[in-house]
């Protein structure tokens, strides 16, 4: 940087007085600005200007004079500090907030060529006064002076970021701005009226709650926090980011807040994403974390790095809920970006978990109440080739207790990441306008239903809840679209497709090659899967799984054979499931073609689509589907891949079925078997349950796990990956959605009794399992005929 900044010039105030507000915390900075102002005065042809500090009594006196001068803030910006990284000293600086003074002192010692004067956007006193009266609860003179000083600081921050980059965007005096706002005061009065509590008591509680969640963004703290935690992923994984997906976001972020909504598989996900955004000059996100992650010794540093710690559940606390909503609205209005994980925790199965909508509702309220014009939701896919923690997560699926987070846990977790594992892949999906999504999902027919809470400041009607649900599902659909297929996922797909059998390298390659052809035909995102067309590439993927004790190898025979390590089928399914969503529509088409029977023409197409919708409903708690019209179009694309001429021969389903069953690529058994097996186990337990006795869901899950183990030993289930408590829980949610749990659900007029409906549910799932088994048997026969060896 140079001492003379040709781009920083004072604006023309016309006939108004020009008042320069100087933000100079040190004497040396004030001298630098004075020298710069001396040159500026020469260019004003004798016209005078006033120079005042950007806050304090002089500013107060000037603002109350009664005229309408143009206010222009100025500041010195220092070049980055090249001092070597000394972590302990930097930690002390951050915790005492001494980092800013130290950086200025070091810059001053390096000489005047390391600074630059910047000019913030000017504003007249009357313009600021109008904004103050609109935004503040108590628009008195003292508050107006503070408001002007804060606006000067914000204007200078924006000018400074043009030089230093967007990653230095930081919030200022957040709690004070929110508490003093007119909107917050109205919210306090509303809460006092609805809860019957004194207004000052509610205000005190709200202010305390706000202080407990507000995060700051000290640049030094952000860098230090990243430096402390970066080793948790830097040694284990090589980060591969789709930076092309960031370019549209950069333009949107100039005018709107972004909400990053990543998939969640590892505790390191926030640190990986932060590094990707930082290296691409995006501002630091405000990242939401649960109270369980408040680790003593790191909490203060984490909060100054933009981590917002909130309660994991607060629906029963209206004051806390309102405070979170106000804070989110403030952040969105000021265009600070947010980040959280809608699944509510790390996936235990490798695929996306059902989303939680509470935080999305809080952001939506900022758009609905016009606190901000719009917010853009950013789907983010983060997947890892392998994870050390996946074994613990798999154990939790069979009843193991979750390890509580804490400092000791963190140290152990960090030690586990010290060896290389593979790659972590970050992809950004198409951003979604929250305003457009809410409007598109709006169903006027639901508006007539009453809100559950008529006193709520936020619409809680069925129409709004449905709109939020559809929006969240669309985000997850977009995450799935950009999630790449990995070699590890396809290797696991191959080995899980056979029961208690080992495969040679050539046999695995023969299973995978048709999948690779399908990936190419669909143009699916992938990471190096072409290597699986060779035995060497297959060996590399299998040996990676062997190092993580997911796959075992027998090497004493004529050639090595590979199989899933006993007891680790759920781990293998975790890796398979990271890509499984790309094949679900194909699996549904395969099963629908078998369902059509001898129908032809339009009848066949209608029956096939009806069967597909039935499967879609059966799997709606396992996978995320787009709207029905998009889903129909996607099924037609899948059908065309199987039979390109299906439209031209009066819907000859017999020919299409023959082409399908002779295909080298059949996937329904590899994709859906574990899910429908788990549903079948639960459905049969419900069918045998006394319809007059309430269902204890935990007992139902325990009973399903016990009987499922028996059925596995009898060979009636395909593999141990079906015995996942999370899969059983999804099946129970489906049964609940169909009204099959509570005895009172049978009371609707004209509907079969509960026992009959439960038996029908079990028969429906059993029929799907039978069709999946038929696809499996056909695929095995096809491989036997083509290779001479039946794997």
């Amino acid at each position: 940087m140079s001492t003379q900044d040709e781009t920083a010039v004072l604006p023309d105030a016309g006939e108004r007085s020009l008042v320069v507000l100087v933000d100079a915390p040190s004497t040396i900075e004030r001298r630098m600005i004075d020298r710069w102002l001396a040159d500026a005065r020469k260019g004003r042809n004798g016209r005078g200007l006033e120079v005042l500090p950007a806050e304090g009594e002089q500013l107060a006196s000037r603002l109350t004079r009664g005229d309408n001068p143009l206010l222009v803030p100025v500041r010195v910006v220092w070049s980055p500090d090249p001092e070597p990284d000394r972590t302990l000293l930097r930690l002390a600086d951050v915790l005492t907030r001494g980092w800013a003074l130290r950086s200025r002192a070091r810059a001053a010692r390096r000489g005047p060529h390391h600074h630059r004067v910047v000019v913030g956007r000017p504003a007249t006193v009357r313009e600021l006064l109008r904004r103050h009266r609109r935004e503040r609860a108590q628009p008195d003179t003292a508050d107006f002076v503070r408001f002007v000083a804060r606006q000067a600081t914000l204007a200078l921050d924006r000018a400074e970021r043009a030089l230093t980059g967007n990653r230095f965007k930081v919030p200022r005096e957040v709690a004070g701005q929110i508490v003093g706002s007119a909107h917050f005061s109205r919210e306090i009065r509303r809460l006092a009226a609805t809860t019957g509590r004194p207004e000052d008591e509610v205000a005190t509680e709200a202010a305390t709650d706000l202080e407990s969640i507000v995060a700051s963004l000290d640049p030094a703290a952000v860098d230090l926090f990243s430096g402390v935690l970066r080793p948790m992923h830097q040694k284990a994984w090589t980060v591969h980011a789709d930076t092309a997906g960031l370019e549209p976001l950069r333009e949107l972020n100039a005018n709107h807040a972004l909400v990053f909504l990543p998939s969640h598989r590892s505790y390191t996900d926030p640190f990986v994403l932060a590094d990707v955004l930082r290296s691409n000059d995006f501002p630091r996100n405000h990242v939401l974390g649960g109270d369980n992650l408040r680790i003593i010794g790191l909490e203060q540093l984490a909060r100054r790095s933009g981590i917002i710690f909130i309660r994991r559940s607060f629906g029963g606390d209206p004051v806390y809920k309102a405070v979170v909503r106000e804070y989110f609205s403030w952040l969105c209005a000021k265009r600070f970006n947010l980040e959280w994980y809608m699944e509510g925790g790390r996936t235990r199965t490798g695929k996306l978990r059902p989303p939680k909508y509470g935080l999305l509702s809080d952001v939506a309220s900022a758009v609905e109440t016009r606190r901000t014009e719009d917010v853009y939701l950013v789907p983010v896919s983060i997947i890892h080739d392998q994870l050390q923690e996946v074994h613990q997560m798999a154990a939790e699926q069979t009843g193991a207790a979750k390890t509580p987070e804490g400092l000791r846990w963190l140290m152990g977790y960090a030690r586990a990441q010290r060896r290389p594992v593979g790659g972590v892949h970050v992809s950004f999906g198409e951003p979604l306008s929250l305003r457009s999504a809410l409007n598109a999902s709006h169903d006027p027919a639901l508006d007539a239903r009453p809100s559950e809470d008529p006193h709520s400041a936020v619409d809680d009607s069925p129409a709004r809840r449905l709109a939020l649900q559809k929006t969240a599902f669309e985000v997850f659909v977009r995450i799935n679209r950009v999630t790449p297929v990995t070699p590890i996922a396809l290797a696991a797909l191959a080995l899980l497709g056979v029961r208690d059998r080992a495969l040679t390298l050539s046999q695995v390659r023969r299973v995978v090659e048709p999948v690779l052809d399908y990936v190419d035909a669909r143009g699916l995102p992938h990471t190096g899967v072409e290597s699986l067309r060779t035995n060497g590439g297959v060996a590399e993927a299998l040996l990676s799984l062997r190092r993580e004790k997911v796959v075992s190898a027998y090497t004493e025979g004529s050639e090595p054979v590979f199989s899933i390590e006993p007891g680790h089928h759920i781990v293998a399914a975790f890796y398979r499931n990271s890509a499984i969503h790309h094949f679900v529509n194909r699996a549904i088409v395969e099963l629908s073609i078998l369902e059509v029977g001898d129908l032809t023409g339009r009848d066949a197409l209608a029956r096939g689509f009806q069967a597909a919708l039935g499967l879609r409903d059966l799997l709606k708690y396992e996978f995320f589907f787009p709207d029905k019209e998009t889903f129909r179009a996607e099924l037609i694309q899948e059908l065309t891949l199987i039979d390109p001429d299906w439209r031209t021969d009066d819907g000859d389903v017999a020919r299409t079925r023959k082409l399908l069953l002779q295909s080298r690529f059949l996937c329904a058994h590899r994709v859906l078997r574990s899910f429908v097996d788990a549903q079948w186990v639960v459905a049969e337990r419900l069918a045998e349950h006394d319809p007059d006795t309430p269902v204890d869901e935990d007992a139902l899950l325990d009973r399903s796990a016990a009987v499922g183990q028996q059925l596995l030993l009898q060979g009636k289930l395909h593999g141990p990956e079906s015995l996942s408590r999370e899969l059983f829980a999804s099946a129970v949610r489906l049964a609940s959605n169909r009204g099959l749990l509570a005895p009172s659900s049978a009371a609707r007029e004209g509907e079969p009794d509960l026992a009959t409906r439960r038996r029908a549910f079990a028969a429906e799932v059993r029929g799907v399992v039978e069709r999946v088994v038929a696809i499996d048997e056909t695929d095995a026969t096809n491989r036997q005929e083509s290779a001479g060896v039946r794997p």
Side-chain angles (χ1 to χ4, degrees):
M1 295 185 183
S2 64
T3 54
Q4 298 300 320
D5 180 6
E6 298 179 357
T7 62
V9 296
L10 293 174
D12 184 2
E15 298 300 320
R16 293 189 180 93
S17 298
L18 183 64
V19 178
V20 177
L21 303 182
V22 177
D23 178 19
S26 68
T27 303
I28 189 172
E29 289 173 333
R30 180 58 193 256
R31 287 202 299 265
M32 291 172 176
I33 290 176
D34 286 343
R35 287 197 295 268
W36 179 82
L37 284 172
D39 291 336
R41 283 189 174 95
K42 295 175 184 178
R44 289 182 55 80
N45 298 322
R47 286 178 295 166
L49 54 84
E50 299 175 64
V51 181
L52 301 174
E55 58 184 352
E57 294 182 3
Q58 293 184 58
L59 175 61
S61 177
R62 185 63 186 83
L63 292 176
T64 56
R65 190 177 298 178
D67 58 346
N68 187 31
L70 185 68
L71 307 181
V72 184
V74 298
R75 171 191 294 170
V76 171
V77 177
W78 298 96
S79 62
D81 183 0
E83 179 176 299
D85 182 8
R86 300 192 307 189
T87 301
L88 290 179
L89 181 60
R90 292 176 63 209
L91 178 58
D93 278 349
V94 168
L95 296 181
T96 62
R97 295 188 180 271
W99 62 270
L101 296 178
R102 286 174 54 83
S103 64
R104 287 191 177 100
R106 288 191 294 267
R109 288 196 298 269
R110 297 199 309 272
H113 56 289
H114 288 284
H115 83 275
R116 189 172 184 174
V117 175
V118 296
V119 175
R121 182 178 178 180
T124 66
V125 171
R126 289 177 186 168
E127 176 186 350
L128 292 168
L129 187 59
R130 285 194 297 270
R131 289 175 53 192
H132 178 249
R133 289 172 176 170
R134 184 172 63 247
E135 296 178 15
R136 304 297 290 170
Q138 297 177 335
D140 56 33
T141 300
D143 191 66
F144 177 57
V145 174
R146 291 191 294 269
F147 178 80
V148 171
R150 186 161 51 246
Q151 297 307 307
T153 299
L154 296 175
L156 289 169
D157 287 348
R158 286 190 289 269
E160 183 173 339
R161 287 198 301 274
L163 300 178
T164 60
N166 286 321
R167 72 185 186 91
F168 291 103
K169 182 177 182 180
V170 298
R172 305 276 188 177
E173 303 176 24
V174 178
Q177 291 192 59
I178 294 175
V179 169
S181 70
H183 194 280
F184 190 78
S185 295
R186 289 194 296 270
E187 187 68 6
I188 294 298
R189 290 194 295 271
R190 184 194 67 81
L191 286 168
T194 56
T195 60
R197 298 170 57 190
E199 190 172 317
D200 58 347
E201 180 181 303
V202 174
T204 299
E205 180 182 335
T208 301
D209 287 343
L210 187 62
E211 288 290 347
S212 74
I213 64 174
V214 165
S216 59
L217 279 176
D218 291 348
V222 171
D223 289 343
L224 180 58
F225 190 66
S226 299
V228 169
L229 297 178
R230 187 172 292 115
M232 287 180 60
H233 67 80
Q234 198 170 40
K235 293 182 179 179
W237 296 288
T238 301
V239 178
H240 305 281
D242 173 24
T243 55
L246 288 171
E247 290 311 308
L249 304 181
R250 200 182 307 281
E251 296 180 14
L252 289 173
N253 208 186
N255 299 302
H256 304 285
L258 304 178
V259 176
F260 289 84
L261 299 171
S263 56
H264 197 19
R265 288 172 170 81
S266 168
Y267 286 111
T268 62
D269 292 341
F271 311 126
V272 170
L273 180 56
D275 278 356
V276 170
L277 295 176
R278 182 180 186 274
S279 62
N280 286 275
D281 194 32
F282 272 78
R284 167 73 170 167
N285 291 341
H286 283 72
V287 183
L288 273 72
D291 267 347
N292 60 308
L293 296 177
R294 289 183 188 263
I295 297 175
I296 297 176
L298 279 180
E299 178 184 350
Q300 187 179 11
L301 178 59
R303 289 187 63 183
R304 291 188 180 178
S305 303
I307 308 296
I308 301 171
F309 293 107
I310 61 173
R311 303 175 193 168
R312 294 185 67 85
S313 177
F314 50 86
D317 187 336
V319 175
Y320 192 88
K321 189 173 183 179
V323 165
V324 171
R325 189 166 59 241
E326 287 296 306
Y327 184 32
F328 281 15
S329 294
W330 185 90
L331 289 171
C332 292
K334 301 299 182 183
R335 298 197 301 277
F336 286 103
N337 296 341
L338 283 162
E339 173 190 333
W340 74 81
Y341 295 77
M342 269 206 300
E343 295 168 88
R346 296 166 299 153
T347 175
R348 266 56 175 179
T349 63
K351 61 183 182 61
L352 291 171
R353 304 175 83 180
K356 299 183 181 301
Y357 313 118
L359 298 178
L360 183 62
S361 173
D362 293 329
V363 170
S365 70
V367 176
E368 292 163 335
T369 58
R370 301 288 178 177
R371 305 283 290 282
T372 184
E373 178 188 349
D374 202 357
V375 170
Y376 278 82
L377 309 180
V378 182
V380 185
S381 167
I382 305 177
I383 65 165
H384 307 71
D385 287 336
Q386 290 175 275
L387 281 172
Q388 287 103 331
E389 62 208 85
V390 69
H391 290 274
Q392 173 61 31
M393 291 192 291
E396 292 169 13
Q397 292 310 295
T398 55
K402 181 178 180 291
T403 303
E405 293 85 357
L407 190 57
R408 179 179 296 179
W409 162 85
L410 181 64
M411 294 172 63
Y413 185 84
R415 282 195 299 270
Q417 315 304 320
R418 290 179 177 175
R419 61 184 179 84
V421 178
V424 54
H425 308 276
V426 183
S427 306
F428 298 90
E430 181 184 357
L432 178 65
S433 161
L434 182 53
R435 179 174 295 281
S436 297
L438 293 173
N439 290 340
S441 302
H442 183 70
D443 184 356
L446 295 175
D447 285 342
R449 301 185 185 181
S451 168
E452 290 184 355
D453 179 8
H455 302 293
S456 175
V458 175
D459 177 19
D460 192 33
S461 65
R464 184 176 188 268
R465 293 198 299 272
L466 179 61
L468 290 172
Q469 180 185 35
K470 288 183 176 180
T471 300
F473 273 47
E474 179 60 25
V475 169
F476 278 18
V477 166
R478 296 186 185 198
I479 289 175
N480 278 337
R481 283 175 184 159
V482 297
T483 299
V485 180
T486 67
I488 296 295
L490 295 190
L493 180 77
L495 291 180
L496 286 170
V498 294
R499 176 186 161 89
D500 300 329
R501 302 283 294 276
L503 301 182
T504 66
L505 293 176
S506 296
Q507 288 171 336
V508 173
R509 182 164 56 83
R510 281 197 293 272
V511 171
V512 169
E513 279 181 339
V515 186
L516 297 177
D517 293 339
Y518 176 79
V519 168
D520 289 342
R522 285 272 314 277
L524 298 178
H526 60 82
T527 62
V529 294
E530 287 300 315
S531 65
L532 297 180
R533 293 191 184 275
T534 66
N535 282 359
V538 172
E540 182 179 355
L542 293 175
L543 291 175
S544 294
L545 288 168
R546 186 186 183 191
R547 284 192 297 270
E548 297 302 314
K549 299 179 181 180
V550 181
V551 166
S552 62
Y554 181 77
T555 59
E556 301 301 320
S558 59
E559 60 179 316
V561 291
F562 299 84
S563 60
I564 301 298
E565 183 80 26
H568 289 170
H569 287 71
I570 291 179
V571 179
F574 182 97
Y575 293 124
R576 175 201 65 187
N577 291 348
S578 69
I580 201 172
H581 56 275
H582 287 301
F583 309 105
V584 170
N585 282 353
R586 167 69 184 226
I588 287 176
V589 168
E590 291 176 4
L591 298 180
S592 299
I593 289 175
L594 294 188
E595 178 74 5
V596 166
D598 297 327
L599 295 176
T600 60
R602 293 183 178 274
D603 290 341
L605 187 61
R607 175 67 177 274
F609 187 58
Q610 182 180 12
L613 288 178
L615 290 166
R616 182 180 189 260
D617 185 74
L618 196 68
L619 298 168
K620 65 185 179 183
Y621 288 103
E622 297 293 354
F623 303 101
F624 295 93
F625 298 98
D627 61 87
K628 289 184 179 180
E629 287 307 309
T630 303
F631 177 64
R632 181 187 182 94
E634 290 176 350
L635 296 185
I636 289 175
Q637 291 175 358
E638 296 289 350
L639 184 59
T640 303
L641 287 177
I642 296 169
D643 181 4
D645 298 322
W646 68 272
R647 295 177 185 271
T648 62
D649 197 13
D650 195 29
D652 188 349
V653 178
R655 187 197 65 233
T656 303
R657 185 165 53 246
K658 181 178 179 181
L659 289 173
L660 169 67
L661 297 180
Q662 292 176 347
S663 170
R664 294 178 64 235
F665 178 51
L666 292 169
C667 72
H669 56 302
R670 299 185 185 278
V671 172
L672 299 181
R673 183 67 188 271
S674 59
F675 302 101
V676 295
D677 271 356
Q679 289 180 337
W680 175 58
V681 172
V682 171
E684 293 289 354
R685 305 291 71 72
L686 272 177
E688 67 186 20
H689 190 86
D690 181 0
D692 296 323
T693 303
V695 174
D696 182 319
E697 293 189 19
D698 288 336
L700 176 59
L701 291 174
D702 292 339
R703 179 64 177 163
S704 297
V707 176
Q709 181 65 36
Q710 171 200 323
L711 296 173
L712 178 67
L713 294 173
Q714 292 178 297
K716 295 181 180 180
L717 296 184
H718 181 266
E721 65 272 20
S722 300
L723 305 182
S724 162
R725 195 171 183 89
E726 191 133 333
L727 297 192
F728 288 144
S730 295
V732 172
R733 284 196 297 272
L734 175 64
S736 176
N737 177 257
R738 294 191 175 191
L740 300 177
L741 297 188
S744 61
S745 65
R748 286 181 287 186
E749 184 178 353
E751 194 174 59
D753 61 58
L754 182 59
T756 300
R757 289 188 288 116
R758 285 176 176 174
R759 289 194 296 271
F761 177 52
E764 177 188 357
V765 178
R766 193 183 312 116
V768 174
V769 172
E770 290 170 355
R771 278 183 279 156
V772 170
V773 171
I775 292 290
D776 188 1
E777 293 173 347
T778 301
D779 188 41
T781 300
N782 291 348
R783 291 198 309 275
Q784 182 181 29
E785 292 176 352
S786 63
V789 177
R790 181 173 183 173

